[in-house]
């Protein structure tokens, strides 16, 4: 069932008011969430660099190097997990 002219004008007015009052929210509603384009590359870099840092840190007994390696491993895993989620379906109005 299509919209009447009055309903369409009302929706257009609401969209204009939303865009004027909350531009960030209006952009997310029209275009979807902002996607970080380099997430996969960063995650793979972190996951590749983390194990050598951890091993090197244990070999030279440097706590800071081990800590950085562990943080890189955790951050890479989080980025991979966050990127693998399926986007939510938009509900029709």
């Amino acid at each position: 069932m299509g919209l009447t002219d009055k309903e369409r004008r009302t929706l257009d007015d609401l969209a204009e008011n939303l865009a004027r009052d909350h531009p960030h929210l209006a952009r997310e509603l029209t275009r979807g969430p902002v996607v970080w384009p380099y997430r996969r590359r960063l995650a793979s870099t972190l996951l590749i660099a983390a194990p050598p840092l951890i091993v090197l840190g244990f070999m030279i007994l440097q706590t800071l190097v081990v800590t950085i390696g562990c943080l890189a491993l955790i951050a890479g895993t989080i980025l991979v997990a966050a990127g693998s989620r399926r986007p939510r379906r938009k509900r029709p109005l």
Side-chain angles (χ1 to χ4, degrees):
M1 188 162 114
L3 297 174
T4 64
D5 289 336
K6 182 180 178 184
E7 291 170 337
R8 190 165 305 190
R9 281 193 305 266
T10 304
L11 283 176
D12 289 339
D13 290 340
L14 287 173
E16 288 174 13
N17 290 339
L18 180 66
R20 184 177 56 243
D21 296 339
H22 304 285
H24 181 70
L25 177 61
R27 184 175 57 246
E28 280 195 25
L29 289 175
T30 56
R31 295 184 191 158
V34 177
V35 178
W36 193 13
Y38 299 109
R39 177 181 288 175
R40 181 171 286 165
R41 185 181 301 167
L42 177 63
S44 62
T45 303
L46 288 173
L47 290 175
I48 290 170
L53 282 176
I54 293 171
V55 170
L56 179 67
F58 279 123
M59 286 174 55
I60 60 175
L61 300 175
Q62 292 292 320
T63 308
L64 181 64
V65 177
V66 172
T67 304
I68 291 172
C70 289
L71 289 175
L73 189 63
I74 291 168
T77 305
I78 289 172
L79 287 173
V80 167
S84 65
R85 288 188 304 180
R86 291 184 181 182
R88 286 188 270 163
R89 291 185 181 198
K90 294 188 178 194
R91 295 181 182 175
L93 295 175

